[in-house]
Amino acid sequence: MQTMYYIGLDVHKRTISYCVKDGSGTIHAEGTIAATRFDLDRWMKTLPQPWTAAMEATVFTGWIYDYLQPHAVALKVAHPLMLRAIAAAKKKNDRIDANKICDCLRCDFLPECYMASTAIRERRRTLRYRNLLVRQMVQMKNKISGLLMEAGVNYNKQRLHKAGYFRELLATNPDIDEGLGSLLRLCRETVVRLGKTESALVRSLERDSLLLERVERLMTIPAVGPITALTWALEVGDPKRFSSIKKAISYCGLCGAEKSSANTVQRTPLSKQRNKHLQTTLIEAAKMAPRNSPELAMLSDKEKQKGNANRATLAVARKLVAYLIAVDRGQRNFEVMKTSNCIAA
């Protein structure tokens, strides 16, 4: 029987610290290499076979994971917060961190987190870039309003960003001088350019063969449009990784943490340990959902009677998560059961 070798990797932007151990905990090698593909190739040639490795989830983990995966028996990624709680110590450096990650892997104590496939992560990067463009577009629109208010120019707030009204405003308003006009035109050109780029990115994702069927199926749910469907598909990855709807709701950041001691139970505000991209998208979708679904409208009204509008929005968002995960798992379109007046997915 071959001896399995375990490798802990502490990943940084320019360097990777490593520790290689066998099943008994004996250190076979440790050190630091440059975080480049050339150095990884040279380092892998020195490793004893077979080997499995683990690393902490960071912004640099993705490409290293993809590069090492074909050569390893298994490759795992650790949850940063849980790993920090397990391996906390007074003395901390890269060598010690790599050693502790290696021990957690060797003893099967590693708090593993989900790693989406390379194809999903590439498309997720595109969607998140689209979200960045939308934020920049909103900033530029706000800047246009700010410039007009600074100069004391009256304008129609609802029509300001319509192309015809904007041209008419610049041409006919005497309070807009040449300097202000040039800045406003520059802002408007930026908004138009960002809008075209954003639309092109969304169309490319909607037509992607990997996502097309799945997104169309998710969009059969009331109040779920292309952005919500794309965000769910790319941020969740495999829906079967959630063993219950409650865990999916927790991942989306739609519930608070629980702190219980003896007979005291305390619920905190919405947890910060969540997928912020999914949380934002689902909250925005939940605000519009009652307009498109009688069932969600009834749920919203019921929750508003118990509390406030925010409580109702969260309840609708949780129901959307239940719909999304049911449709995604079952791989069939959303349907309304007319006979019993209940929802089935």
Side-chain angles (χ1 to χ4, degrees):
M1 182 178 178
Q2 284 185 312
T3 301
M4 178 64 70
Y5 292 91
Y6 301 88
I7 304 174
L9 301 172
D10 188 43
V11 175
H12 295 279
K13 180 180 179 180
R14 292 186 174 86
T15 60
I16 302 172
S17 296
Y18 65 91
C19 180
V20 183
K21 294 185 178 183
D22 59 20
S24 64
T26 303
I27 296 177
H28 286 259
E30 59 182 348
T32 302
I33 59 173
T36 64
R37 290 174 173 81
F38 174 78
D39 288 281
L40 283 174
D41 277 332
R42 189 169 57 179
W43 170 70
M44 281 190 288
K45 293 176 182 178
T46 68
L47 294 178
Q49 298 292 333
W51 56 273
T52 178
M55 67 192 82
E56 187 178 357
T58 68
V59 70
F60 318 110
T61 298
W63 75 266
I64 298 173
Y65 179 91
D66 293 336
Y67 201 72
L68 296 179
Q69 192 177 30
H71 306 280
V73 174
L75 203 58
K76 298 183 178 181
V77 178
H79 192 290
L81 292 178
M82 295 183 182
L83 185 65
R84 193 174 300 133
I86 293 172
K90 183 182 291 185
K91 187 176 182 181
K92 182 183 183 301
N93 56 49
D94 295 346
R95 182 181 60 82
I96 292 174
D97 287 348
N99 193 307
K100 289 184 176 180
I101 293 173
C102 185
D103 282 335
C104 288
L105 176 65
R106 182 175 59 87
C107 301
D108 200 21
F109 287 155
L110 190 78
E112 188 176 358
C113 67
Y114 173 74
M115 195 69 176
S117 66
T118 304
I120 290 293
R121 282 187 280 120
E122 287 176 351
R123 289 158 178 80
R124 182 193 296 168
R125 187 185 301 121
T126 302
L127 181 64
R128 291 182 179 180
Y129 184 75
R130 173 260 169 197
N131 296 340
L132 172 65
L133 295 181
V134 171
R135 290 195 297 271
Q136 291 177 339
M137 193 159 44
V138 172
Q139 288 176 350
M140 294 309 297
K141 288 182 177 180
N142 291 339
K143 187 60 180 176
I144 292 174
S145 300
L147 288 171
L148 291 171
M149 286 188 286
E150 285 179 12
V153 178
N154 293 323
Y155 61 91
N156 188 319
K157 183 179 178 181
Q158 283 72 34
R159 299 178 59 198
L160 177 60
H161 303 295
K162 302 293 184 181
Y165 176 79
F166 188 82
R167 285 195 301 268
E168 181 184 352
L169 182 68
L170 292 184
T172 61
N173 196 303
D175 297 326
I176 301 177
D177 57 27
E178 184 178 349
L180 178 59
S182 62
L183 288 176
L184 291 171
R185 278 188 286 270
L186 181 61
C187 290
R188 177 63 188 175
E189 289 170 5
T190 304
V191 170
V192 172
R193 186 167 60 251
L194 289 172
K196 290 180 179 178
T197 307
E198 183 266 341
S199 299
L201 291 177
V202 173
R203 285 197 301 270
S204 68
L205 289 173
E206 286 182 303
R207 297 169 183 173
D208 194 297
S209 58
L210 181 67
L211 302 171
L212 181 61
E213 184 180 349
R214 186 177 180 186
V215 168
E216 288 180 349
R217 189 163 52 241
L218 291 171
M219 287 176 61
T220 60
I221 302 171
V224 173
I227 301 301
T228 305
L230 284 169
T231 303
W232 173 267
L234 294 175
E235 296 294 341
V236 167
D238 183 7
K240 295 180 180 178
R241 66 191 179 100
F242 298 116
S243 58
S244 67
I245 294 176
K246 288 184 177 180
K247 290 186 177 180
I249 290 172
S250 176
Y251 178 76
C252 297
L254 300 176
C255 65
E258 180 180 336
K259 295 182 179 179
S260 301
S261 179
N263 296 325
T264 303
V265 179
Q266 180 184 1
R267 299 295 299 195
T268 65
L270 292 183
S271 174
K272 296 297 182 181
Q273 296 184 38
R274 85 289 190 206
N275 185 309
K276 63 180 181 180
H277 304 282
L278 259 178
Q279 184 190 53
T280 302
T281 302
L282 288 169
I283 290 294
E284 292 301 318
K287 291 178 181 178
M288 304 295 292
R291 304 181 187 181
N292 302 300
S293 170
E295 291 78 15
L296 295 178
M298 289 175 58
L299 175 62
S300 179
D301 292 339
K302 180 180 177 181
E303 292 298 324
K304 283 180 181 178
Q305 293 173 4
K306 297 179 182 178
N308 53 31
N310 290 338
R311 175 173 179 157
T313 299
L314 281 175
V316 173
R318 294 187 191 109
K319 181 61 73 173
L320 281 177
V321 172
Y323 289 169
L324 286 162
I325 201 164
V327 169
D328 216 9
R329 276 181 180 170
Q331 295 187 357
R332 61 180 186 272
N333 292 346
F334 182 87
E335 295 179 358
V336 178
M337 299 291 289
K338 296 182 181 179
T339 54
S340 58
N341 294 324
C342 63
I343 303 299

